[in-house]
Amino acid sequence: TDPLVEPTLPMTVSAPLLRRVLGRFYFDNNPSATTVDFSGLREVGGEYFHRGTIALDELNLTALRLVIGDMMISELYGIPVLEMDDLESIGGQATLELTSDMTLLSASVLTSVGGTLEITRHESLADINFPSLTSVQGDLEINFNSSLTESEICEVYDQVGEGLAGDFLSSIVC
């Protein structure tokens, strides 16, 4: 083994009693995290930023209802499904990008995004479940998702309809 590289063990991060973060919530560059449990988290008063978990089996955000600021979820490798089915609103921009194994992205009660909604660079993403989304106050960008069909992309676009304040940016035309 390389003496300059410390071996990493699988890591579980568990904070199921955490209910609310008044400011920014950053979970950044934790490559050995395999299980992340924030199952009690309901509200983030600032930004929610989760990036750089490369061996993730589970990310539990099942109770998250509100992010006041921006939300960025990026570079999650290993997780097949991300369900945030209590999430109602994101006050700022939402960026969901760079996953290799995720096939389902679900936020079934999400109604509004206060800025741009960007869903990009997912190799395996085949299903976006945002049936309640009616308002995006910035651009709607769905690009470079090689497993998404045209009908999946257009379904999200059609759902938002007149609630889209910005442009629709995609490699296909709906």
Side-chain angles (χ1 to χ4, degrees):
T1 63
D2 186 339
L4 299 177
V5 176
E6 293 183 33
T8 58
L9 299 173
M11 177 176 72
T12 296
V13 177
S14 182
L17 299 180
L18 178 65
R19 300 285 182 251
R20 187 173 178 205
V21 175
L22 296 175
R24 295 181 299 178
F25 186 109
Y26 274 56
F27 190 84
D28 190 19
N29 198 21
N30 294 284
S32 60
T34 55
T35 301
V36 177
D37 179 7
F38 300 127
S39 58
L41 183 62
R42 293 187 182 119
E43 180 180 332
V44 176
E47 301 169 319
Y48 177 84
F49 185 86
H50 188 128
R51 180 180 70 180
T53 47
I54 60 173
L56 197 59
D57 294 324
E58 179 184 356
L59 172 59
N60 191 334
L61 294 170
T62 55
L64 185 60
R65 290 186 6 243
L66 175 64
V67 176
I68 301 291
D70 295 339
M71 180 176 208
M72 178 182 213
I73 297 178
S74 179
E75 299 174 33
L76 301 184
Y77 301 105
I79 184 170
V81 173
L82 180 56
E83 293 175 304
M84 300 175 289
D85 287 329
D86 280 355
L87 184 61
E88 298 170 4
S89 178
I90 300 168
Q93 176 169 321
T95 302
L96 307 158
E97 66 178 1
L98 281 174
T99 64
S100 62
D101 302 307
M102 187 183 306
T103 59
L104 170 64
L105 176 59
S106 180
S108 61
V109 297
L110 179 66
T111 58
S112 65
V113 176
T116 293
L117 172 58
E118 179 182 359
I119 302 170
T120 61
R121 298 184 301 223
H122 299 275
E123 293 174 16
S124 302
L125 186 62
D127 190 12
I128 300 173
N129 182 32
F130 291 170
S132 302
L133 186 62
T134 57
S135 175
V136 175
Q137 294 303 304
D139 297 332
L140 175 60
E141 182 175 345
I142 304 175
N143 273 319
F144 309 110
N145 302 292
S146 56
S147 296
L148 274 180
T149 65
E150 183 175 318
S151 64
E152 280 287 333
I153 294 170
C154 290
E155 184 176 323
V156 175
Y157 173 71
D158 292 342
Q159 183 115 15
V160 175
E162 292 182 16
L164 179 60
D167 295 323
F168 176 59
L169 306 169
S170 182
S171 57
I172 60 117
V173 177
C174 295

